[in-house]
Amino acid sequence: MVRAGLKLLDESGLEGLTLRAIAAEMGVRAPTLYWRFKNKQDLVDEMASYVLVESTRTLETHPQPATWQGWVLAYAHGLRNTLLRYRDGARMVSGSRLTDTRVYASMEHALEMFQSNGIAPSDAVMCLGTVYSYVIGFTIEQQAVLSPKGERDPRYALSAREEMVDAERYPLSRSIGPDVFDNYDERFERAVRVITAGFEDEFAV
């Protein structure tokens, strides 16, 4: 059911995802799905949990970073890359209820690494939660602008922005080149490093 849901998510987006559509995809009647899911959100919770487990598994298959800073960077990039594999992936995961405890295996390892560096689990959770929220928010914005194939939504055409922003009234805003808005990878990398550096200062207090 979850795999069928993810397939439909890629085809129709989050709005087009319904239990009835999933039942049709699976070749069963819609009431058959209600023994497992009470509503669409229950299904989305399962799908989001599946995706988050996938993200932690991907992280575990790579060489483990030697520092907590390296782990944070790897975690941020791994989560974003996983979300980008699915249309509306970040919106689907945002606010969903976790139904699979396997994600805590990776979390436990991360907390142990933080603790070995003298950082309390409560502080580590604050750091990781901040990074998680940033990744979700950044990816939601990116997926609203770019399709899974990297095509820009016409509503966010850079040429339209140039026409809209008055150079005389807003000279600084108008001077920002389109490459700043278009280079999502560079913006993401820089911001995650800034967040990590901020926590370095916080933990050093």
Side-chain angles (χ1 to χ4, degrees):
M1 295 179 189
V2 168
R3 286 194 294 269
L6 291 171
K7 181 176 182 293
L8 286 174
L9 181 71
D10 285 338
E11 294 174 354
S12 307
L14 198 56
E15 282 76 13
L17 183 68
T18 65
L19 291 178
R20 187 174 298 279
I22 292 174
E25 173 70 23
M26 298 178 64
V28 299
R29 294 182 177 181
T32 305
L33 272 63
Y34 285 97
W35 68 268
R36 180 64 179 84
F37 304 112
K38 295 180 180 178
N39 50 47
K40 174 180 174 178
Q41 187 56 52
D42 278 356
L43 171 63
V44 171
D45 289 342
E46 291 284 354
M47 292 167 56
S49 297
Y50 178 92
V51 169
L52 289 176
V53 169
E54 178 185 15
S55 178
T56 60
R57 283 179 171 175
T58 300
L59 182 61
E60 291 169 355
T61 60
H62 290 79
Q64 295 298 299
T67 65
W68 70 264
Q69 295 94 330
W71 198 96
V72 167
L73 292 173
Y75 166 69
H77 284 287
L79 176 59
R80 175 174 174 248
N81 290 338
T82 299
L83 297 176
L84 288 175
R85 292 193 191 111
Y86 303 98
R87 179 176 175 181
D88 293 336
R91 285 180 57 209
M92 174 189 66
V93 168
S94 175
S96 295
R97 178 178 58 88
L98 187 65
T99 62
D100 193 327
T101 59
R102 285 179 294 175
V103 297
Y104 287 107
S106 180
M107 174 65 77
E108 189 72 13
H109 177 75
L111 295 179
E112 290 172 353
M113 177 177 290
F114 275 88
Q115 192 169 52
S116 68
N117 283 270
I119 301 169
S122 58
D123 289 335
V125 168
M126 179 177 64
C127 174
L128 294 174
T130 300
V131 172
Y132 174 86
S133 297
Y134 172 72
V135 175
I136 294 293
F138 184 94
T139 311
I140 285 176
E141 292 295 328
Q142 179 178 350
Q143 291 185 314
V145 175
L146 301 179
S147 73
K149 295 181 180 179
E151 300 166 339
R152 181 175 283 273
D153 187 314
R155 296 176 301 165
Y156 303 102
L158 295 175
S159 57
R161 177 187 174 277
E162 293 177 357
E163 294 174 0
M164 180 178 64
V165 180
D166 189 316
E168 293 186 3
R169 295 179 64 187
Y170 312 111
L172 294 179
S173 299
R174 186 64 174 78
S175 68
I176 301 173
D179 56 309
V180 174
F181 295 97
D182 234 7
N183 199 332
Y184 284 92
D185 291 344
E186 183 177 331
R187 285 165 52 197
F188 180 81
E189 172 71 19
R190 185 175 180 183
V192 171
R193 290 188 178 277
V194 168
I195 294 171
T196 305
F199 277 103
E200 283 181 335
D201 293 340
E202 176 71 17
F203 295 151
V205 173

